Every structure is written in structure tokens, then in C-alpha cells.
Amino acid sequence: MTVSLMGLALSDLGCLITLQWLNLCFNPLFRYAPGLPFESFELEYLTAGWPHVCFARVTGLITAYITMERCLCIAMPLKVKVLITPKRTSFVIAAIFAIVFCSAAPVFTVILADWKFYPSRNKTLLGVVFAPNRAEVETVAFAFNNLYGYIAMISVTIFTIILVVNLKNNSKWRQGTSTASGSEGKSEATTRDKRVVKMVVTISTMFVVCFFPITAVVVGTMVEPGF
């Protein structure tokens, strides 16, 4: 769990840093700052736009993994330590980062930073140039990134529902057992499980609420190009 949360924290940090850089690039005071050697409106696409999208997809997939992890802890408490180990979790988190960023890497081969002359500003600045096959490469990259978003959204929703249902069933069983035996240990375990699950459900709910609008927009764009 700690490894998963650390991976989630790193991806969220990446999202925030790239988003702040994106905001700065769109700031006219920064764009037209004297001596700035690049066109921020263009370079943000490479240095902020795509990296932010990748970090956001990583966040979604790690959230789905954390939800699955907690779901297994409640559904199969005796087997979860065998199925999910710190080493395996580290591998999964690293694989998520690698797969998402590698799927976006081809974009950086068709959109390159290069010096360009801007007649409106009478300056030569560092901007972006496009390869002839940019549209084809970006279409594939966008498809993969959208797929990651759909997988994360659906997985988080399904695992959260399973998690809540299993927790309720287990809580009823433990409460009945502890009442019959007069033991307080199981009651404490139930309380601990509830705290952990509450945290995971909160994270999952925030993820679904925050990412649903952009997911809906992407789906709408795919269904209706003029959306």
C-alpha cells in the first residue's frame, strides 16, 4: 500500500508541476518577457501538455491498482499477502509509468523543438515544427491515452463497488462473531478495515468526480467530431 501511495504521490506531483508550467506558458507577461528565447505558446505542448496528460493517466491507473489492492484485501484476506507483495507492487507501478510514457514517446519524434522566425514579432525563437506524419502518430498516441483513461475509470468504479459490498458483508460477519464470542480484537480489525477502505473510497470518488468531465468530453468528441 505504501509503495502504491508513493507512486500516486509522484504522479500527482508530476501533474501539478506540468500544470503550473502550462499556466505559466499561457501567461502573456511570461510569453512576451524581454529576452525569453522561446515561444511559450508552442513549447508548452511538448513540455507541459503531453507530460501532464501522461501523468494524469498514470494517476488514474495507479488509483485503479490501489482500489484493486484494497478490494483483494477485503475479498481474499488470506491470499492477498501472497498475491500482492512490495516487490510486485513496485514492478507494477514502474510498469505503469513506463507503458504510459512510452506510448506517448512517438509524439516527440514528429513534434520537435526548433528555431523559427516569427514575422509578427520580428524574432527568431525556439518553437515547434511538425513532421509530415504528425497526424497519424498523434491519432495512435491519443487512442492509447484515451484507452488508459477508460480502463482506469471503469476499473475504479467496479472495484470500489465490490470493495464496499464486501466490506459490508465482512463487517456484519465480524460483528456477529465478536458479539457471540465477546472478543474485541475482531471489532478493532473491523474498525481498522473501515478506516482504510474509507480512505480508498474517498480517493476513488475524487478520481471519478474529477476525471469524469474530461472523459465525457473525449467520448463526445469521438462520437461527434464537432462536439
Side-chain angles (χ1 to χ4, degrees):
M1 187 70 176
T2 304
V3 176
S4 304
L5 292 176
M6 184 183 71
L8 184 63
L10 290 175
S11 63
D12 278 340
L13 180 62
C15 283
L16 291 174
I17 291 175
T18 51
L19 183 60
Q20 293 307 312
W21 172 239
L22 182 71
N23 294 334
L24 183 62
C25 287
F26 278 120
N27 190 326
L29 295 177
F30 178 75
R31 181 188 183 189
Y32 297 110
L36 192 69
F38 57 86
E39 174 52 81
S40 62
F41 269 32
E42 293 187 6
L43 280 187
E44 62 80 18
Y45 189 70
L46 283 178
T47 60
W50 268 103
H52 178 74
V53 170
C54 290
F55 279 118
R57 295 296 179 256
V58 170
T59 294
L61 293 175
I62 293 179
T63 302
Y65 180 78
I66 291 174
T67 311
M68 182 201 70
E69 200 176 37
R70 283 297 97 191
C71 185
L72 291 176
C73 287
I74 300 299
M76 296 186 294
L78 300 179
K79 297 181 180 179
V80 68
K81 288 186 177 180
V82 178
L83 296 174
I84 300 178
T85 62
K87 185 178 291 186
R88 288 178 181 175
T89 298
S90 300
F91 176 79
V92 170
I93 299 301
I96 289 174
F97 272 94
I99 291 172
V100 171
F101 277 90
C102 285
S103 66
V107 173
F108 295 87
T109 65
V110 295
I111 304 176
L112 306 171
D114 200 0
W115 295 99
K116 295 165 55 179
F117 179 71
Y118 294 84
S120 61
R121 300 176 64 178
N122 194 29
K123 284 184 178 181
T124 297
L125 300 171
L126 189 65
V128 296
V129 294
F130 304 107
N133 60 335
R134 172 208 173 186
E136 292 82 358
V137 173
E138 276 199 314
T139 299
V140 176
F142 275 124
F144 273 106
N145 273 274
N146 292 338
L147 179 63
Y148 300 146
Y150 303 147
I151 291 174
M153 182 73 69
I154 295 171
S155 299
V156 167
T157 303
I158 292 174
F159 286 133
T160 301
I161 293 173
I162 296 174
L163 183 63
V164 172
V165 171
N166 276 279
L167 177 65
K168 287 183 177 180
N169 293 336
N170 287 354
S171 296
K172 290 179 181 179
W173 177 79
R174 282 177 175 172
Q175 286 173 359
T177 305
S178 61
T179 301
S181 61
S183 173
E184 295 182 358
K186 292 182 178 179
S187 178
E188 292 176 359
T190 302
T191 303
R192 185 175 62 251
D193 285 345
K194 284 183 177 180
R195 284 201 303 266
V196 174
V197 171
K198 185 178 180 180
M199 178 191 69
V200 174
V201 170
T202 301
I203 294 174
S204 303
T205 303
M206 290 178 62
F207 168 77
V208 172
V209 170
C210 293
F211 278 79
F212 179 77
I214 187 61
T215 303
V217 170
V218 171
V219 172
T221 304
M222 293 177 64
V223 175
E224 182 59 45
F227 179 72

